[in-house]
Amino acid sequence: MLKVSKDACIGCGACQALVSDVFDIDDDGLAFIRENADIEKYIDDVNDAIDGCPTGAISMED
Ligand code: SF4
């Protein structure tokens, strides 16, 4: 399951810029996973977002 830690996110927007079909920014300026996001379709970009997040806020767990 793909997750964003709101405690760790600093709202830089990098994940959204990389794959806006999966990540969005909420009213507080923090990232979240879009409802019904097709993670498998964008898995390469999602992995890039995980690797590129400056605070390690994005994680993928079973
Ligand atoms: S890349 Fe990381 S810190 Fe930046 S908005 Fe996305 S989750 Fe937050």
Side-chain angles (χ1 to χ4, degrees), residues 11-19 25 49 52-54:
C12 73
C15 55
Q16 183 195 34
L18 199 59
V19 54
I25 303 294
C53 175

Side-chain angles (χ1 to χ4, degrees), residues 19 29-30 34 36 55 58-59:
V19 54
L30 302 176
R34 284 181 179 275
N36 302 321
T55 63
I58 310 167
S59 62

Side-chain angles (χ1 to χ4, degrees), residues 18-38:
L18 199 59
V19 54
S20 60
D21 286 307
V22 173
F23 299 97
D24 200 358
I25 303 294
D26 69 16
D27 292 341
D28 294 325
L30 302 176
F32 66 96
I33 311 300
R34 284 181 179 275
E35 213 172 306
N36 302 321
D38 189 346

